[in-house]
Amino acid sequence: MRAIVREEYGSPDVLELREIEKPVPGDGEVLVKVHAASVNTADLDYLRGRPVAARVASGISRPRSSRIGLDVAGRVEVVGRDVTTLGVGDDVWADLFDSGQGAFAEYVCAPETAFSPMPSGVTFEQAATVPHSGVLALQGLLGYGEINPGEKVLINGAGGCVGPFAVQLAKSFGAEVTGVDHGGKLELMRTAGADHLIDYTNEDFTTNGGRYDLILDIVDEHSVLYYRHSLAAGGRYVLVARRLTGFAQAFLVGAGVSMTSDKRMGTFMWRANRRADLELIKGLLENGKITPIIDRRFQLSEVPDALRYQEEGHARGKVVITM
Ligand SMILES: NC(=O)c1ccc[n+]([C@@H]2O[C@H](COP(=O)([O-])OP(=O)(O)OC[C@H]3O[C@@H](n4cnc5c(N)ncnc54)[C@H](OP(=O)(O)O)[C@@H]3O)[C@@H](O)[C@H]2O)c1
């Protein structure tokens, strides 16, 4: 089978399309024929080994696994012994973060527990955009409690991979949503359903007098204290941390703010591929409350170009790899 592999950290230039042996599922594993995968900013982190947090997860000096790619949607082709929840022909999706990655390939083999049944009524391409970024958006939004209808929610960095899902999820909970990103992403945030748009290159939302019940920060650029005065009484701030230092300051400084005021600020422990979250998102996809926004499709042999396209900031929606 054909797969994208790499032996070292680096730019998309270190990636190669190689013919490798098709895996045979062991006990409790399934072999899935990949129909689509998608690109996440996190793939670039694991490709480059930057920030440091990426090396903690995937190997300090060299990547532990040569395979890459988190998000996948496909059809079960072979089931190993003792597989009880999936059968041949089932359509499934997964974030392969905990299962050795490898979505950029014709087949993936992983424990059956890595995969869940795909939502009905969505294409493989649409499904492949969701597991990583959709779950991250959901866990971030609900990091400090449920969102009540009518609450004002601001998504900082709403035009990336996670942001459009965060906008749509917050809208599905009945929130009034403000999306913040640069001018080139305004149309994307509008399409996702944001009620208000802020171009951060023209306007600083922390000084314009706006107050929000929830700020989801996907940018990780400033201390939590920078955002404190943009929270309404009882408001929450949740950081989707990119850097270990960002995580640490949000955890520690946020705990200080939370203990000494009526506001809750901090970060959350991400759990990749959590079944309950995928189930909730599946329901929202099936009833049309969420619609994945796809910008562009690339073939498997074009994965390096797809990653460059993402890294250079051209993407206006998810970038999909088709087989
Ligand atoms: N904390 C965790 O547990 C955890 C788990 C998994 C992944 N992650 C990390 O979380 C991140 C996920 O975010 P993502 O995939 O959505 O990233 P992304 O695609 O890079 O999106 C971030 C968006 O923010 C915009 N932006 C940059 N500076 C801004 C500013 N000052 N104000 C407002 N917007 C700004 C970016 O626009 P530009 O085009 O200008 O850059 C981009 O559109 C990844 O880095 C991933 O590795 C964290």
Side-chain angles (χ1 to χ4, degrees), residues 41-42 45 132 136 156-157 159-163 180-182 185 200 218-219 221 240-242 270 310:
T41 308
D45 297 347
H132 182 78
L136 197 48
N156 194 30
C161 294
V162 173
V180 184
D181 213 301
H182 66 73
K185 304 268 179 90
Y200 75 86
I218 315 175
V219 178
E221 215 173 65
V240 178
R242 291 162 173 260
W270 169 61
Q310 181 72 38

Side-chain angles (χ1 to χ4, degrees), residues 122-187:
V122 304
T123 64
F124 286 112
E125 292 183 5
Q126 289 176 317
T129 66
V130 179
H132 182 78
S133 290
V135 165
L136 197 48
L138 181 66
Q139 291 180 8
L141 285 171
L142 303 186
Y144 286 133
E146 308 253 303
I147 294 174
N148 297 311
E151 281 194 320
K152 291 188 168 154
V153 173
L154 180 138
I155 316 286
N156 194 30
C161 294
V162 173
F165 288 113
V167 170
Q168 294 194 54
L169 286 164
K171 287 297 295 176
S172 78
F173 299 137
E176 180 183 328
V177 178
T178 301
V180 184
D181 213 301
H182 66 73
K185 304 268 179 90
L186 297 186
E187 193 50 45

Side-chain angles (χ1 to χ4, degrees), residues 59-311:
I60 299 298
S61 58
R62 324 169 41 83
R64 276 190 292 272
S65 163
S66 62
R67 304 288 301 283
I68 191 156
L70 297 168
D71 271 341
V72 71
R75 185 162 289 165
V76 176
E77 191 167 286
V78 183
V79 298
R81 269 186 17 190
D82 302 330
V83 168
T84 55
T85 57
L86 294 173
V88 171
D90 287 353
D91 292 341
V92 293
W93 61 350
D95 172 354
L96 297 172
F97 173 78
D98 289 327
S99 319
Q101 306 195 19
F104 301 151
E106 288 175 324
Y107 292 89
V108 291
C109 184
E112 64 172 322
T113 49
F115 299 100
S116 326
M118 234 173 74
S120 55
V122 304
T123 64
F124 286 112
E125 292 183 5
Q126 289 176 317
T129 66
V130 179
H132 182 78
S133 290
V135 165
L136 197 48
L138 181 66
Q139 291 180 8
L141 285 171
L142 303 186
Y144 286 133
E146 308 253 303
I147 294 174
N148 297 311
E151 281 194 320
K152 291 188 168 154
V153 173
L154 180 138
I155 316 286
N156 194 30
C161 294
V162 173
F165 288 113
V167 170
Q168 294 194 54
L169 286 164
K171 287 297 295 176
S172 78
F173 299 137
E176 180 183 328
V177 178
T178 301
V180 184
D181 213 301
H182 66 73
K185 304 268 179 90
L186 297 186
E187 193 50 45
L188 170 61
M189 296 191 288
R190 190 178 291 118
T191 304
D195 301 290
H196 312 284
L197 305 171
I198 294 179
D199 175 352
Y200 75 86
T201 63
N202 285 334
E203 184 180 349
D204 180 351
F205 75 86
T206 65
T207 57
N208 69 3
R211 296 284 180 275
Y212 301 93
D213 300 298
L214 171 64
I215 295 175
L216 180 69
D217 180 16
I218 315 175
V219 178
D220 191 7
E221 215 173 65
H222 297 288
S223 154
V224 301
L225 296 177
Y226 188 77
Y227 300 106
R228 187 178 179 183
H229 298 294
S230 299
L231 289 178
R236 296 93 79 196
Y237 163 96
V238 184
L239 173 69
V240 178
R242 291 162 173 260
R243 305 162 299 138
L244 287 177
T245 48
F247 184 90
Q249 71 79 24
F251 185 74
L252 295 170
V253 182
V257 174
S258 304
M259 279 190 285
T260 55
S261 74
D262 67 341
K263 295 167 181 165
R264 295 201 63 194
M265 303 188 81
T267 185
F268 64 103
M269 292 305 291
W270 169 61
R271 282 185 53 205
N273 219 26
R274 188 161 63 185
R275 194 59 70 103
D277 296 335
L278 283 169
E279 275 300 309
L280 190 150
I281 294 171
K282 181 173 179 248
L284 293 172
L285 282 160
E286 287 174 344
N287 66 23
K289 291 272 168 69
I290 296 180
T291 306
I293 302 170
I294 295 176
D295 173 35
R296 221 180 128 173
R297 293 157 178 83
F298 290 82
Q299 293 179 6
L300 183 59
S301 58
E302 299 171 324
V303 163
D305 293 331
L307 287 161
R308 281 185 204 104
Y309 184 78
Q310 181 72 38
E311 188 166 44

Side-chain angles (χ1 to χ4, degrees), residues 27-60:
D27 293 356
E29 290 184 337
V30 296
L31 179 73
V32 171
K33 182 172 170 49
V34 177
H35 284 248
S38 81
V39 171
N40 289 285
T41 308
D43 294 314
L44 286 158
D45 297 347
Y46 298 123
L47 173 66
R48 290 204 174 261
R50 256 193 351 238
V52 177
R55 291 194 184 223
V56 173
S58 60
I60 299 298

